[in-house]
Amino acid sequence: MHTLDRLPMNNKVELLKQIPIFSSLSEDHSLELASIAVEKTYRKNQVIFDQGDPGSSLIILKSGLVKISLVDSNDHEFIIKTLGENDFFGEMSLLDGGRRSASATAVEDTRVLIVYRDDFVHLLKKNPGVALHLLTALTQRLRMTTDNITNLTFFDAYGKVARCLLDLAEKGGRKEAEGIVLDVKLSRQELANMAGLTRETFARILKEFQVRGCLVTRGKQIVILNKKILTNEVRLNMG
Ligand code: CMP
């Protein structure tokens, strides 16, 4: 059994309760989970694990940002998803005993809680509610993967950039008088890797959207001025 102890126990219990898959845990079981979760910090750009590594832990994000990505032999990266506070990852190897299906890297300084397989399975057996929440989360991930396949297969470059920006807006966009502000933490190269485009193509289309009055960029920040244009780009691609 693994113990942790930089975070006071009450904080850990509170944190775990905010995570949807653990929301149905009783007070006793939350305390039990908090006592077995190990706390760890990763620095910006630090690799948490690589695709193909053996893995037997579930990782819960306490703060920070993590990218889940695939990298080919030429170092081309495709970002499947970014995860923030209260998200979790690593459940696939933990559940099926296979190797890590993708790489996980801290995009900024990140703090996590780690739960190991035996402890998690023990908890699952006693808490069918956790299993149900986990199934719901896995189903949502499958749905998102289907959306990703649609994006990569059917969308032209405009649709891919539009979809990427709309996803960012949905996840963390801030509504202000001017428009929807995206405080983008990823580099432009990483955004392109998320959209499945080269950096040059991504930058060219971002510029075109800017000329059309759809958005403005300020450093890494992007402000969507006209969401309708982006939505129409996605619709056009769907025929
Ligand atoms: P695991 O295979 O253990 O390690 C990589 C993790 O990335 C995986 O568990 C999931 O948590 C996450 N992951 C892999 N593929 C996807 C996907 N298509 N959608 C969302 N998350 C994924």
Side-chain angles (χ1 to χ4, degrees):
M1 186 165 287
H2 312 268
T3 44
L4 114 95
D5 304 280
R6 272 177 278 156
L7 257 186
M9 189 64 78
N10 279 350
N11 287 7
K12 272 192 279 171
V13 172
E14 282 316 306
L15 169 80
L16 290 169
K17 279 187 180 161
Q18 286 163 28
I19 296 163
I21 57 164
F22 297 126
S23 60
S24 62
L25 282 184
S26 67
E27 197 67 26
D28 278 359
H29 287 158
S30 298
L31 264 170
E32 186 184 326
L33 179 61
S35 72
I36 57 180
V38 180
E39 193 188 10
K40 205 166 170 186
T41 300
Y42 292 93
R43 295 277 157 233
K44 184 178 161 120
N45 295 330
Q46 194 176 347
V47 174
I48 299 171
F49 54 71
D50 277 314
Q51 181 181 354
D53 283 354
S56 58
S57 54
L58 176 79
I59 297 151
I60 300 154
L61 258 142
K62 193 171 165 294
S63 62
L65 189 69
V66 167
K67 64 177 175 182
I68 301 292
S69 59
L70 304 172
V71 184
D72 72 10
S73 52
N74 295 319
D75 268 356
H76 295 138
E77 179 187 54
F78 175 68
I79 298 180
I80 299 174
K81 198 174 168 50
T82 56
L83 300 168
E85 201 177 304
N86 296 342
D87 279 329
F88 67 88
F89 58 98
E91 76 291 347
M92 289 169 63
S93 308
L94 179 135
L95 290 170
D96 73 3
R99 291 184 173 261
R100 295 295 190 193
S101 59
S103 300
T105 310
V107 175
E108 54 185 42
D109 289 354
T110 292
R111 294 177 77 188
V112 302
L113 290 179
I114 303 174
V115 182
Y116 290 90
R117 184 172 201 280
D118 291 350
D119 296 330
F120 186 69
V121 170
H122 182 66
L123 190 87
L124 270 185
K125 284 184 178 156
K126 288 191 295 182
N127 293 276
V130 174
L132 202 62
H133 278 106
L134 186 61
L135 276 176
T136 307
L138 291 177
T139 306
Q140 285 165 348
R141 287 185 177 179
L142 192 56
R143 202 178 275 284
M144 190 214 76
T145 303
T146 307
D147 285 348
N148 257 340
I149 294 170
T150 306
N151 181 353
L152 293 170
T153 311
F154 299 121
F155 286 10
D156 64 16
Y158 294 89
K160 286 177 181 168
V161 175
R163 180 72 262 159
C164 177
L165 296 177
L166 289 171
D167 281 350
L168 290 174
E170 200 173 305
K171 234 184 140 201
R174 207 173 59 246
K175 274 196 182 146
E176 289 192 1
E178 188 186 15
I180 306 169
V181 180
L182 311 179
D183 290 317
V184 182
K185 305 269 172 54
L186 299 174
S187 66
R188 288 290 191 264
Q189 177 68 64
E190 286 172 318
L191 280 188
N193 294 350
M194 219 170 161
L197 295 169
T198 63
R199 186 164 56 88
E200 292 73 19
T201 305
F202 191 93
R204 177 173 58 76
I205 288 168
L206 208 58
K207 193 68 164 256
E208 281 190 40
F209 280 146
Q210 196 156 349
V211 171
R212 283 161 65 183
C214 174
L215 53 87
V216 284
T217 60
R218 295 187 197 105
K220 277 176 125 182
Q221 190 180 74
I222 300 173
V223 184
I224 299 176
L225 305 174
N226 190 333
K227 191 176 164 194
K228 218 166 158 192
I229 297 181
L230 296 181
T231 312
N232 280 344
E233 280 300 339
V234 176
R235 285 219 189 95
L236 274 175
N237 273 274
M238 290 309 286

